[in-house]
Amino acid sequence: MSQQVRIMRGREWARPVRPVRREVLEAIPGLDEGRPPLLFVPGFGHGAWAFAEHWLGHAAERGFSGYALSLRGQAGSGPAPEATLRAYAHDVVQVAAGLSRRAVLVGHGAGALVVAHALARYPARAAVMVAPVFGGWATAFTALRRNPLGTLPALVGGRLQCNRAQLFGRELPRDEVRRHLSRLGRPARRAQWQLLLGREPEPAVGDPPVLVLGSPEDRVVPHSVLIRAARRYGSAPLLFPGMSHDLMLDARWREPIDGILDWLEKEPSGG
Amino acid sequence: MTTSTDHGRPDPELSTLDLARGARSVSYRGETVCVIGAGPTGLTAIKNLTEHGFGVDCYERETGVGGVWNWRHDRSPVYASTHLISSRPLTQFPDFPMPDDWPDYPHHSQLLTYLERYADHFDLRRHVWFGTEVVRVEPAEGDRWDVTTRSTGGYGPERTSRYAAVVVANGHNWSPKLPTHEGLAEFRGEVMHASAYQDPAQLRGRRVLVVGAGNTGCDIATEAAQQAAHCWHSTRRGYWYAPKYLLGRPADQLNDLMLALRVPRRLRQWLFHRLLQASVGDLTRFGLPRPDHRMLETHPIVNSQLVYYLGHGRVTPVPEVVRFHPDSVELADGRQVDPELVVFATGYLPRFEFLDPKILGDDGTTGRPVLWLNAFVPNHPTLAVAGLVQPDSGIFPLSHWQSVLFARLLRLRETRPNKAAAFAATVTTRAGERYSGPVKESSRHWFEVGHADYLRALQRALHDLEAK
Ligand SMILES: Cc1cc2nc3c(=O)[nH]c(=O)nc-3n(C[C@H](O)[C@H](O)[C@H](O)COP(=O)(O)OP(=O)(O)OC[C@H]3O[C@@H](n4cnc5c(N)ncnc54)[C@H](O)[C@@H]3O)c2cc1C
Ligand SMILES: NC(=O)c1ccc[n+]([C@@H]2O[C@H](COP(=O)([O-])OP(=O)(O)OC[C@H]3O[C@@H](n4cnc5c(N)ncnc54)[C@H](OP(=O)(O)O)[C@@H]3O)[C@@H](O)[C@H]2O)c1
């Protein structure tokens, strides 16, 4: 991460991101106990639905309002073939700033990179990086090794396509896997390139606590990458061995979300 | 008067031991920082100071947040039709954007909504004492400040508290600058300053003379063009009237596009002149004087409608007023006009009535503080004035970064005192610097800044402060 605060944003002032319809799914607890809202940001190909499946409802049961956003061009959000990471981060900050209290940003997969960029533009209460894909060549090589057919086209300008073995564990029932796979979309081409070659996120504003979690058996994010990701936030990752990349859809989805909520309740600035 | 439309009160129990200042008792507020005013600048100061770990007490004389943008406030100068002149991306706080489906130039009521949401989102109201005005700010030992407050309107006793630092964010658009004219007292028509103008109903069916061509004067003249029986618009020089849109985008975004492409100022001026020449043409054909300066050398006027109403003959441009007669107003060209209502849209003067002017480096005659970055006070490292800038953009981002810089400076006073001392030395040597190209000499221009020049200087100051 570059360390200096950036004040001048001439290009952004001159060429603001155009608004696109945003899909936001939510689950609100019956009683407001003053806890910070959670904003879930899916990775490339996924949509808000991935969190609506289990995590949103579970967070609400534990007293946290949960919101899940579909990035532009994904799931129920408006089309955006030319979307960039900047536009994705813009969408996250727009939704976060629209909530009644400072939000906790939770990014999954490449959504964690979007969150890292958003953190430079919004003083989140806290941030959680779930199986973070911060991009770069190491991630690309892993993807290439595990899923050459889905990854190769992306390296020559086509669209990235994840496969079943990368995302889901073996315990997940077949029909559930089929349902999820049918909902997977394809990321915008420019954003995909930025995943490989994009600039480093700027330092986070407001100094939020950051939790990194994932599984050592993740087939998208190798263990070493996970450790490195946690190190940039000065900590070690919280590990859920034996789980797949899509922790929120895994048969054992409850463990990581409980891990996140427990951490938030313990954080002095959190619950 | 402690009634409040805003809930929340700061915790008054922080004060520990009592001190004395003369006969008064002073409650000691430890490392807490005092913020004066809960307008946009005060709010961002509270937010950034608390974000950096400081306790904050903010005093606000009105009963709500929002400053100028809260039209319920008795000193708010906004009128019913006020829309921003700076477009949304150049106006919003850098870390809390306005909704992206809002218009390019939101209405003042949207600005208030935005500021209230900002206050709620960051839970700022619990730091604010509403209905409380600051009447005195005096230096105390150890670079601390004694701040004396009382209920707005002078009810109740005064209270003095000692703070580790003070941010003055009292705004500069509330104290009317009124011209003096021979015969004004005998004039039989109605005379008002634009700060008292709220609604076009005040103009309806009357003969109106509007004096001054800042954004206020131009807005009121266009309303008079639609409502009044007749509208004269008096200006003492020719101006560039920039439309809200140029080349398919908000005019300030076009300016920033050129800034991002590093187009030099002279070339930008030339391009703007050509663009205006090509689109609206030579305004002297409507009887306006030719501008006596280049574009960007007076505070920008952003108004697409004035020229339109000149073309409809609904606004009659006239020169400067020289004197008033009981039934008419005499103009510089010898003409006399007979308005029923004269609106002085002659602007405002910054005022710091609670501070000895010498503290801000004003010898008491000019009314112009001498500060670095328009904010930092020589020899008073724990005092900052925020929002004392008139940019060619929105003010909020400038106020935001001023308070970030001040918060980090206060932190460094504890952790790296030598860095803070070096900053203080810079403040002393560089006080009075300007951050714009040449501007016309006028009482409104001494704190005019180009937002890019200003923010770049601020960014450098921040980087120097934090350098190893
Ligand atoms: C008609 C109009 C249109 C404008 N349009 C734009 C625009 O398009 N874009 C833009 O960026 N700016 C615009 N401005 C400038 C405007 O002043 C700023 O946007 C902004 O309001 C400045 O915020 P502030 O907090 O510094 O001052 P203010 O908004 O004036 O707030 C100061 C606060 O301090 C309080 N206060 C003052 N003295 C004391 C005291 N002694 N004790 C306690 N409290 C005190 C006041 O009650 C007030 O709430 C406009 C101004 C006017 C008049
Ligand atoms: N729509 C909006 O968003 C909006 C609307 C209104 C105001 N504002 C902002 O609010 C601030 C104040 O604006 P403002 O228009 O009220 O004031 P202003 O910018 O100070 O303009 C005052 C005008 O009156 C003239 N003037 C001053 N004293 C005079 C005198 N004695 N005799 C004759 N003319 C005199 C000035 O002429 P000189 O050129 O000689 O100085 C100038 O044209 C500005 O920052 C402005 O941008 C924004």
Side-chain angles (χ1 to χ4, degrees):
Chain A
M1 265 178 289
S2 57
Q3 278 314 312
Q4 286 197 326
V5 174
R6 183 150 145 243
I7 293 180
M8 296 303 294
R9 297 192 182 273
R11 275 172 208 276
E12 273 180 51
W13 295 329
R15 309 196 56 199
V17 173
R18 293 217 175 174
V20 168
R21 177 172 42 82
R22 284 184 287 269
E23 176 186 45
V24 179
L25 304 179
E26 56 179 55
I28 313 291
L31 190 67
D32 181 0
E33 294 171 61
R35 297 218 164 87
L38 307 178
L39 173 56
F40 294 97
V41 182
F44 290 4
H46 293 65
W49 55 265
F51 297 103
E53 196 73 19
H54 308 292
W55 280 16
L56 280 187
H58 187 71
E61 270 169 33
R62 286 193 51 179
F64 288 84
S65 319
Y67 301 83
L69 160 73
S70 295
L71 296 174
R72 55 180 65 202
Q74 308 277 312
S77 285
E82 293 307 308
T84 55
L85 278 180
R86 164 156 97 99
Y88 289 163
H90 164 94
D91 287 339
V92 172
V93 174
Q94 279 285 320
V95 177
L99 302 177
S100 58
R101 277 197 279 272
R102 260 170 88 193
V104 177
L105 305 184
V106 186
H108 172 257
L113 179 61
V114 176
V115 165
H117 281 288
L119 288 178
R121 306 310 308 279
Y122 169 76
R125 175 74 55 97
V128 183
M129 312 294 191
V130 183
V133 175
F134 287 135
W137 292 101
T139 313
F141 283 132
T142 310
L144 209 52
R145 193 152 52 84
R146 307 267 184 179
N147 176 17
L149 287 183
T151 312
L152 248 181
L155 292 179
V156 294
R159 296 294 178 92
L160 186 68
Q161 175 95 58
C162 289
N163 67 21
R164 172 196 168 128
Q166 280 176 298
L167 302 181
F168 307 109
R170 255 183 238 111
E171 313 85 84
L172 207 60
R174 269 184 170 277
D175 56 326
E176 239 177 86
V177 169
R178 214 171 300 125
R179 196 158 49 88
H180 298 330
L181 281 175
S182 73
R183 286 192 285 193
L184 282 184
R186 289 175 169 212
R189 210 168 281 135
R190 292 175 63 190
Q192 201 174 283
W193 273 116
Q194 288 176 315
L195 195 55
L196 198 58
L197 304 169
R199 60 184 168 81
E200 284 277 289
E202 293 168 28
V205 292
D207 202 17
V210 178
L211 171 70
V212 177
L213 60 89
S215 158
E217 280 75 41
D218 189 323
R219 290 170 187 238
V220 176
V221 184
H223 193 186
S224 59
V225 171
L226 191 63
I227 290 173
R228 219 174 315 133
R231 202 175 295 143
R232 59 205 267 171
Y233 294 104
S235 67
L238 189 60
L239 292 177
F240 295 87
M243 292 187 72
S244 56
H245 180 65
D246 277 6
L247 292 102
M248 64 287 189
L249 297 173
D250 195 277
R252 286 160 51 203
W253 59 265
R254 201 182 297 265
E255 295 167 33
I257 183 69
D258 276 334
I260 293 171
L261 300 178
D262 291 346
W263 175 75
L264 280 176
E265 280 169 353
K266 273 188 235 108
E267 259 305 313
S269 61
Chain B
M1 211 202 74
T2 50
T3 51
S4 165
T5 50
D6 293 77
H7 55 273
R9 278 261 166 262
D11 174 9
E13 300 315 326
L14 247 165
S15 59
T16 46
L17 62 155
D18 272 13
L19 309 152
R21 184 179 184 108
R24 277 177 285 148
S25 79
V26 177
S27 47
Y28 184 71
R29 301 289 288 144
E31 295 315 302
T32 308
V33 180
C34 172
V35 173
I36 303 172
T41 303
L43 289 176
T44 195
I46 306 174
K47 177 204 158 266
N48 286 312
L49 285 161
T50 52
E51 202 171 284
H52 284 81
F54 291 97
V56 177
D57 287 351
C58 171
Y59 297 106
E60 168 54 60
R61 62 186 302 284
E62 304 275 1
T63 54
V65 299
V68 154
W69 299 104
N70 198 328
W71 55 271
R72 293 184 212 97
H73 291 172
D74 60 3
R75 292 202 306 208
S76 169
V78 306
Y79 30 88
S81 65
T82 307
H83 280 258
L84 281 185
I85 47 160
S86 48
S87 73
R88 198 161 33 78
L90 283 137
T91 306
Q92 65 204 2
F93 292 115
D95 58 356
F96 189 80
M98 293 185 209
D100 60 4
D101 58 356
W102 278 12
D104 290 327
Y105 296 101
H107 186 244
H108 71 77
S109 58
Q110 288 175 303
L111 264 285
L112 178 58
T113 303
Y114 173 64
L115 295 167
E116 289 184 328
R117 280 197 17 230
Y118 183 78
D120 291 336
H121 195 87
F122 296 107
D123 200 8
L124 305 178
R125 289 182 217 247
R126 67 199 167 92
H127 300 281
V128 187
W129 296 81
F130 289 102
T132 307
E133 79 187 324
V134 170
V135 293
R136 251 186 327 278
V137 175
E138 301 153 296
E141 72 221 25
D143 289 330
R144 291 174 185 271
W145 296 90
D146 285 350
V147 176
T148 303
T149 60
R150 63 161 185 232
S151 290
T152 305
Y155 307 99
E158 292 189 350
R159 277 184 56 143
T160 304
S161 309
R162 183 160 298 176
Y163 289 97
V166 171
V167 178
V168 176
N170 66 333
H172 58 254
N173 282 322
W174 55 269
S175 178
K177 176 168 69 189
L178 269 170
T180 48
H181 281 294
E182 185 188 331
L184 188 55
E186 287 76 48
F187 179 63
R188 291 208 193 93
E190 185 186 342
V191 176
M192 65 154 88
H193 184 266
S195 55
Y197 173 75
Q198 288 183 314
D199 190 287
Q202 291 164 277
L203 310 170
R204 200 159 294 151
R206 306 170 79 184
R207 293 188 306 277
V208 179
L209 170 65
V210 180
V211 180
N215 286 296
T216 306
C218 294
D219 276 356
I220 298 177
T222 53
E223 300 213 321
Q226 301 164 69
Q227 302 292 339
H230 195 94
C231 172
W232 295 276
H233 188 198
S234 159
T235 58
R236 59 182 178 186
R237 65 178 93 249
Y239 296 96
W240 299 95
Y241 298 90
K244 282 202 157 164
Y245 290 91
L246 272 172
L247 293 185
R249 61 178 78 229
D252 55 356
Q253 293 179 21
L254 179 66
N255 185 37
D256 268 58
L257 189 62
M258 294 198 266
L259 282 169
L261 298 171
R262 305 213 170 256
V263 178
R265 180 178 157 98
R266 266 307 169 95
L267 188 53
R268 274 186 291 136
Q269 288 172 320
W270 181 83
L271 280 167
F272 275 124
H273 292 175
R274 303 304 309 204
L275 271 174
L276 290 184
Q277 184 70 34
S279 48
V280 292
D282 181 1
L283 295 183
T284 59
R285 72 188 190 280
F286 298 121
L288 285 169
R290 197 173 293 286
D292 58 354
H293 55 276
R294 298 162 166 274
M295 181 114 179
L296 309 174
E297 288 176 4
T298 51
H299 182 64
I301 301 170
V302 187
N303 190 314
S304 304
Q305 288 180 294
L306 188 70
V307 174
Y308 174 90
Y309 285 113
L310 285 167
H312 285 193
R314 295 292 303 159
V315 174
T316 309
V318 294
E320 198 174 349
V321 170
V322 287
R323 68 179 65 78
F324 280 74
H325 298 286
D327 294 305
S328 66
V329 179
E330 189 180 326
L331 305 166
D333 58 0
R335 233 185 314 169
Q336 300 221 356
V337 295
D338 58 342
E340 295 160 276
L341 170 67
V342 178
V343 183
F344 283 115
T346 42
Y348 300 85
L349 287 173
R351 263 185 59 195
F352 307 95
E353 72 283 24
F354 42 78
L355 258 179
D356 177 354
K358 286 196 201 70
I359 289 177
L360 297 182
D362 165 17
D363 57 15
T365 54
T366 60
R368 301 180 182 186
V370 181
L371 311 172
W372 186 46
L373 290 168
N374 287 30
F376 296 91
V377 189
N379 306 320
H380 294 287
T382 52
L383 178 66
V385 181
L388 185 59
V389 282
Q390 186 157 254
D392 54 349
S393 72
I395 286 188
F396 305 1
L398 283 66
S399 298
H400 168 91
W401 290 113
Q402 289 174 334
S403 61
V404 168
L405 180 55
F406 190 54
R408 298 201 174 180
L409 173 67
L410 291 180
R411 266 281 152 269
L412 284 187
R413 278 172 60 83
E414 297 156 18
T415 56
R416 297 170 71 193
N418 57 331
K419 272 279 169 195
F423 187 91
T426 311
V427 172
T428 307
T429 50
R430 296 177 61 180
E433 271 182 6
R434 299 282 293 259
Y435 311 91
S436 68
V439 288
K440 269 274 159 252
E441 173 59 27
S442 163
S443 56
R444 66 187 174 128
H445 282 147
W446 67 267
F447 58 113
E448 185 77 15
V449 302
H451 71 288
D453 293 337
Y454 182 81
L455 288 174
R456 229 178 257 125
L458 212 151
Q459 182 168 285
R460 265 195 304 275
L462 192 62
H463 290 175
D464 288 348
L465 185 69
E466 312 224 302
K468 293 281 173 293

